Amino acid sequence: MRSRFAFVALGIASSTITVTAGDLKAPPIAVQDVKSSATLQLRSNDDFVSSKDSVAAVKPFSGHLAFAEVSMVSSDKLAPVNGKDLHAFPAFEISFTTVGSTLVPSSQEILGDFKPTGAGSYWQILVQPGKVWSEPNDPPGWTRASFPLALMNPVEGGESHNGVALFMYKDADITPLHIQITTGTTPFQAGAVFKATATSVSTMKPISTEDVHAIEKAFSVREAGRLPVKSWDNLPVGLTTAQSAEFGGRMLDDWKVVTAVFVDGTIYLKSCQTSEGPLPYCDRQRFGVWSATKSAVARMAMLRMAAKYGDQIFTMKIDDLLPEAKRFLAWKDVTLGSALNMATGVGNGAGKPEANIGDEPYDDSYMAFYNDGDFTSKLEKALARRRSYGWGIDRFVRYRDEDYFVLVAALDSLLKEKEGADKDIVSMLRREVYEKIRVYDLPVATTFGVKKQPLAFEGLYATIDDLVKIAELFQNDGAVSGSQVLSQQKTQEGLTNHHKWGLTTGRPTGLGQRYFSSFWIDDFSFDGCSGNFARFMGYGGQVVAILPNKLIAVRLSSAPTDDESVSDFSGLVQASNAVAKVCND
């Protein structure tokens, strides 16, 4: 959370309309415009998907595509960050094939060549499955294809800038790629959620039958694991306008990128509305979720390793696992558990012994740590912000990204000690946790160089489906189909209703009263029903709430501020009671 910075963001209304792209009413983009190398003007998002008169694709598609770096056209003036060009759409390569009408990419991981120092594009890119189709007036043999995409910065690893891309193909011929960016989650150094268009030169070469079959097989597995998605209008119970709004929190509706709730095995989704119309493929888009990564990566790794090595790892000392920490006395006696609680007693704030989670300055030394892409020097900077407050561990919480980077470095060291030097945290999470909950892709920003450690305090790029499955694993006490994947006891901590988990933050009720194990915890009380609920949150109001009635609520945001108003979910539990009872009568 970075409350001292405020930026102007793109207004994004929250309306309830069709969730997925396809069969929309706008006329298609003219063929001559798609074939042209000229950059299109910002236009309706409907133009990038099939019209109401569309028909099945003339031909399937398979090929390896390479797209050139190109300057984006935008009315938003984006200043360079760390010498990088924010207007440069990155070059990238990817293979696609079609499965039915779905355009399937060979990878959903982070793409594009990025150099952490020097000039070049600020961005890398994420690509998701799209669609192929034909329009009645298209030239014979030509087929349209579009797919969702997101721009991200791998050093910062926080926000996403989301959009859609379109091209046409006929046998070995392919048009330029036309890109439109219209929304995104709250940025930090980039300054604003921006709108932009670009046209990139495309080249294509064939891919082997083996590659096609591999893409098809991977897609089949992923599709079988996806949760059902329905429009918000199809919720099993009717909600008042006020109740519906509470699922998105009490921030301005214009800041809500997407709102969803998980009920009885189905995701009910409000579309990703923009001023250019619904963002296509809303349910497939990947979003930067900022510090929600703390729960999805650091907490998840800690709980998995506790299941394997015992809950006593929570009391292990960081300087016993990281030799680098021994040089800094402030880290003496700091445990893995206290780092997970951000209660290390280390920091650069005023140091008053009081509940004030925000008393941690984002000063020059923090920004030096933040922008360092090398593991060794980043860890050194994290440890060197070394003032000890003198009150010891687990007394007061201070919001410190450095604690989580140090924590995961220590966990990685423990993993290597137990299982071998070739092991790493991300691979462990993919294989031992995420694949078990049918999350098969885990795009997460890492450090560069020899050691690629996940940033852990931010850096995850997730779909709504991913976020719901992560929360559901926590909600189910870390068990999957009868198998205990995470430590049961430690997973339950923070989620057991009627227990005052965590350290007081100094925030009011509904805005994150207490902090515990990467969760913000709030009390609730209405109509004789009381208790508490947990959520994991990221900068700008990225929220996943785990409710006591087994519902899961997700709200992603473009809020231009990170003040307490973006965290106000004080009416959520009562509103959710209309869908499923929170307390027994």
Side-chain angles (χ1 to χ4, degrees):
M1 305 290 180
R2 300 178 177 84
S3 58
R4 60 183 297 211
F5 295 89
F7 302 116
V8 177
L10 169 69
I12 300 170
S14 176
S15 64
T16 304
I17 49 183
T18 306
V19 170
T20 55
D23 301 329
L24 297 169
K25 296 181 179 180
I29 299 174
V31 172
Q32 62 267 29
D33 291 336
V34 181
K35 290 185 174 183
S36 172
S37 60
T39 300
L40 300 175
Q41 292 185 333
L42 200 68
R43 59 203 302 133
S44 170
N45 282 321
D46 290 0
D47 293 353
F48 288 79
V49 293
S50 54
S51 74
K52 63 182 178 63
D53 298 318
S54 65
V55 295
V58 173
K59 286 187 176 181
F61 180 85
S62 289
H64 183 81
L65 301 180
F67 303 106
E69 181 177 312
V70 64
S71 181
M72 294 186 286
V73 176
S74 176
S75 60
D76 298 290
K77 304 302 179 185
L78 305 173
V81 174
N82 299 325
K84 299 292 186 183
D85 186 357
L86 273 70
H87 284 275
F89 185 86
F92 72 101
E93 297 186 21
I94 191 167
S95 298
F96 284 106
T97 194
T98 47
V99 177
S101 64
T102 303
L103 180 70
V104 184
S106 57
S107 173
Q108 296 184 32
E109 299 298 324
I110 299 168
L111 303 172
D113 183 25
F114 180 88
K115 295 178 175 59
T117 59
S121 176
Y122 185 71
W123 308 111
Q124 286 186 288
I125 191 169
L126 294 153
V127 170
Q128 297 297 108
K131 185 177 179 180
V132 294
W133 74 96
S134 296
E135 297 290 348
N137 295 323
D138 287 348
W142 283 91
T143 299
R144 297 180 183 236
S146 72
F147 57 87
L149 58 85
L151 297 179
M152 56 79 66
N153 175 262
V155 175
E156 189 162 39
E159 87 265 28
S160 58
H161 296 270
N162 297 78
V164 62
L166 171 74
F167 66 93
M168 294 181 70
Y169 63 90
K170 178 183 178 182
D171 299 324
D173 293 329
I174 187 169
T175 70
L177 181 72
H178 298 278
I179 303 115
Q180 178 160 294
I181 305 293
T182 54
T183 188
T185 53
T186 302
F188 182 42
Q189 294 187 108
V193 175
F194 60 84
K195 303 179 187 181
T197 59
T199 298
S200 175
V201 175
S202 311
T203 59
M204 182 175 72
K205 61 183 180 182
I207 59 176
S208 68
T209 301
E210 291 78 10
D211 287 342
V212 169
H213 289 163
I215 296 171
E216 291 173 341
K217 182 178 179 180
F219 177 69
S220 176
V221 171
R222 283 157 175 76
E223 285 299 282
R226 291 184 76 212
L227 295 167
V229 179
K230 295 183 180 180
S231 168
W232 191 267
D233 290 338
N234 292 321
L235 271 167
V237 297
L239 298 177
T240 66
T241 300
Q243 288 170 333
S244 180
E246 292 287 5
F247 281 87
R250 293 183 174 179
M251 64 160 53
L252 295 176
D253 282 347
D254 284 354
W255 296 346
K256 298 172 184 177
V257 174
V258 61
T259 301
V261 63
F262 182 62
V263 183
D264 293 333
T266 297
I267 297 172
Y268 296 88
L269 187 67
K270 294 184 181 180
S271 71
C272 306
Q273 183 70 350
T274 79
S275 54
E276 286 68 45
L279 179 68
Y281 311 106
C282 180
D283 57 329
R284 290 193 184 273
Q285 291 273 355
R286 288 197 179 275
F287 297 96
V289 296
W290 290 102
S291 287
T293 306
K294 290 181 170 73
S295 297
V297 173
R299 183 177 200 265
M300 192 73 81
M302 187 90 158
L303 294 175
R304 174 57 187 158
M305 293 173 73
K308 295 203 292 182
Y309 312 140
D311 290 349
Q312 65 270 17
I313 71 167
F314 276 72
T315 60
M316 294 182 73
K317 294 181 180 179
I318 282 174
D319 67 356
D320 286 338
L321 296 168
L322 289 178
E324 300 92 335
K326 289 188 179 296
R327 295 189 290 110
F328 304 102
L329 292 179
W331 290 91
K332 189 178 187 301
D333 298 328
V334 174
T335 63
L336 297 179
S338 64
L340 190 65
N341 291 334
M342 285 198 291
T344 60
V346 177
N348 276 11
K352 294 182 179 179
E354 61 186 11
N356 183 4
I357 193 171
D359 180 28
E360 184 63 29
Y362 297 104
D363 54 15
D364 289 346
S365 64
Y366 172 80
M367 294 308 299
F369 155 79
Y370 185 77
N371 285 313
D372 196 328
D374 177 76
F375 169 78
T376 300
S377 56
K378 194 179 190 77
L379 180 62
E380 174 80 10
K381 290 179 174 69
L383 292 168
R385 278 166 64 86
R386 58 186 180 274
R387 176 188 171 195
S388 173
Y389 289 128
W391 57 56
I393 63 171
D394 294 323
R395 290 279 316 282
F396 300 100
V397 59
R398 293 293 184 266
Y399 204 91
R400 285 173 37 85
D401 291 335
E402 300 97 313
D403 288 351
Y404 269 70
F405 188 77
V406 171
L407 167 64
V408 171
L411 289 174
D412 188 69
S413 178
L414 176 61
L415 178 66
K416 286 174 166 56
E417 176 187 310
K418 294 284 189 180
E419 300 185 23
D422 61 332
K423 305 302 181 183
D424 67 88
I425 292 293
V426 172
S427 297
M428 179 199 72
L429 285 174
R430 287 179 189 272
R431 183 181 63 257
E432 299 180 18
V433 179
Y434 280 105
E435 288 182 5
K436 295 184 184 302
I437 60 172
R438 300 181 299 176
V439 172
Y440 298 101
D441 301 284
L442 192 67
V444 59
T446 67
T447 54
F448 295 86
V450 176
K451 183 166 182 177
K452 293 178 171 57
Q453 177 184 298
L455 300 183
F457 58 90
E458 60 195 30
L460 177 67
Y461 291 84
T463 64
I464 301 299
D465 184 275
D466 295 338
L467 295 173
V468 166
K469 288 172 179 173
I470 291 166
E472 188 180 30
L473 179 59
F474 292 145
Q475 193 176 63
N476 290 339
D477 300 333
V480 180
S481 302
S483 175
Q484 198 65 46
V485 176
L486 310 179
S487 163
Q488 182 176 16
Q489 178 179 330
K490 289 298 184 180
T491 304
Q492 288 174 339
E493 291 178 0
L495 291 172
T496 307
N497 201 9
H498 303 295
H499 184 96
K500 301 285 187 180
W501 295 105
L503 296 170
T504 303
T505 64
R507 288 186 166 197
T509 301
L511 278 68
Q513 289 172 272
R514 297 183 299 281
Y515 192 87
F516 179 80
S517 183
S518 83
F519 288 163
W520 298 78
I521 299 173
D522 278 292
D523 298 331
F524 64 84
S525 181
F526 64 92
D527 300 335
C529 176
S530 63
N532 57 68
F533 74 103
R535 49 194 158 135
F536 42 106
M537 298 200 297
Y539 172 63
Q542 321 313 321
V543 174
V544 182
I546 304 171
L547 303 178
N549 53 2
K550 295 299 183 181
L551 272 59
I552 295 167
V554 180
R555 195 279 315 278
L556 303 180
S557 153
S558 66
T561 177
D562 195 44
D563 65 24
E564 292 180 352
S565 68
V566 306
S567 305
D568 188 352
F569 277 78
S570 51
L572 173 60
V573 177
Q574 185 170 1
S576 78
N577 190 61
V579 179
K581 291 295 184 183
V582 175
C583 295
N584 295 324
D585 294 333

